[in-house]
Amino acid sequence: MAVERLFKDEATEEKGDRARMSSFVGAMAIADLVKTTLGPKGMDKILQSTGRGNSVTVTNDGATILKSLHIDNPAAKVLVDISKVQDDEVGDGTTSVVVLAGELLREAEKLIATKIHPMTVISGYRMAAECARNALLEKVMDNKDDTDKFRTDLMKVAMTTLSSKILSQDKEHFANLAVDAVMRLKGSTNLESIQIIKKPGGSLKDSFLDEGFILDKKIGIGQPKRIENAKILVANTAMDTDKVKIYGARVRVDSMARVAEIEGAEKQKMKEKVQKIIAHGINCFVNRQLIYNFPEELFADAGILAIEHADFDGIERLGLVTGGEIASTFDNPESVKLGHCKLIEEIMIGEDKLIHFSGVEMGQACTIVLRGASFHVLDEAERSLHDALCVLSQTVNDSRVLFGGGWPEMVMAKAVDELARKTPGKKSHAIDAYSRALLAIPTTIADNAGLDSAELIAQLRAEHHKEESNAGIDVITGSVGDMSVLGICEAFKVKQAVLLSATEAAEMILRVDEIITCAPRRREDRM
């Protein structure tokens, strides 16, 4: 006898073709959503939150768009995840990875409609991905040994990354900033020592790179405005106990004199703490928490610059940069590591005063100050610059680069095509489909620029059948151009990540044949 009902009342299940259909449709819808942001002529999206303050984000970054969406479809969530991972891993290619995965599924849907088993499709895709990766490996360029050439490569990679973002108008300026900042890191991929400060006002062209560290705070009253050869103590400690603060306790006293005694004791305690801090032989004290007037006076008398309420990022980074450690107890000065820098002074950017630390220990640190018309512009500029910095720091480690502009996809598609012709059996259909899906990226780049994509792709394919072709889409003139002349380069690591993540995501969605949605939890009637 068949089981009538297995699940609770409101749980739903979709089986077989319906489940597959819903996952394909969801994944393709997500891919079409971000498709228009791809390439140098990609458009931006406005994301408006319904929360408090209705904050508005204007962005072109695939990961940022997808992160902000609340999605029900389970297959679409997989694509959102790969885009997030791509953003964390290499920083760029967040849109390409979703578009490619969406296309792979679109092709797979056609194959499955002709009664080819999903597992056959998957094994075909596997072979094709391997073949495509090897095709790229044969074509990579590596100029690690020649510093000048390598720098030019980095500049090209940065300019290519920035050309699809809001910074595309001043991409040379920003590419220069990003390359300088990353070269200072000397090969580490830790971007924490590059600080980005956003100050509205001026135009994007006014942004600059400052070696050293800028803290977004003002210098207290009556304290030295300029200190040379500073010894800095970075601390996270309470400096606000010179008034009675006994929570939830009552103190009974028989006269005001007693209250004064308690306050005096508190003051004395504070004074001793300040004395301990001064005993470290420092001339700059940076605290995470508040510093009340009394300790501030004491510091000012001792000629020490005291900075209060430096946000956590600020002190973490300041510790990193000046080579100091964050201290919270001051009993044994010899075990505390102090930070050092040559000069501390107050500078003005726009309307605001900031504190500038120059000549810092860790020569890797620097600050990029972004200027722009409004906060939305600045936020988007920061995201774009962050993408460029991520890609560059990865490229410094793995210095292989490729041409851009749809060239890698054409190279891969050609290799995969040849593999499809050699492969017997049904798998060859899947491999063929993979090469068609790869062409979706140059097609989308051309479509977004309003060009005739079918014509351009056909021309490109013909070009690539000649030996050693560098042809790609030149969006500016709207024709097929030579990528080595135009200087459009991409990092190999980004392309490889796009290829492998998209294939794995498509494979995961293809394996699904049933979707079970859990019944919503009921609130019990508490009557």
Side-chain angles (χ1 to χ4, degrees), residues 186-260:
K186 302 184 181 64
S188 91
T189 50
N190 179 14
L191 295 179
E192 279 186 3
S193 42
I194 300 177
Q195 183 197 19
I196 299 181
I197 287 186
K198 300 176 288 197
K199 286 284 169 210
S203 71
L204 284 169
K205 271 204 178 63
D206 302 339
S207 309
F208 61 92
L209 177 99
D210 193 312
E211 44 241 49
F213 183 82
I214 297 177
L215 194 64
D216 201 347
K217 291 281 160 235
K218 294 187 177 61
I219 289 182
I221 300 161
Q223 292 174 350
K225 296 276 186 216
R226 178 188 164 97
I227 294 182
E228 290 181 12
N229 294 334
K231 292 194 184 74
I232 306 164
L233 176 62
V234 185
N236 185 0
T237 179
M239 300 292 284
D240 50 2
T241 47
D242 57 340
K243 299 192 174 55
V244 176
K245 269 215 258 173
I246 306 173
Y247 293 111
R250 283 191 181 156
V251 185
R252 275 220 178 122
V253 289
D254 43 17
S255 70
M256 277 312 285
R258 297 269 185 233
V259 180

Side-chain angles (χ1 to χ4, degrees), residues 51 53 101 120 162 173 206 224 241 247 268 290 302 359 376 385 391 527:
T120 316
L162 291 173
H173 179 59
D206 302 339
T241 47
Y247 293 111
Q268 193 51 40
L290 280 172
H376 300 144
L385 197 59
V391 175
M527 296 300 283

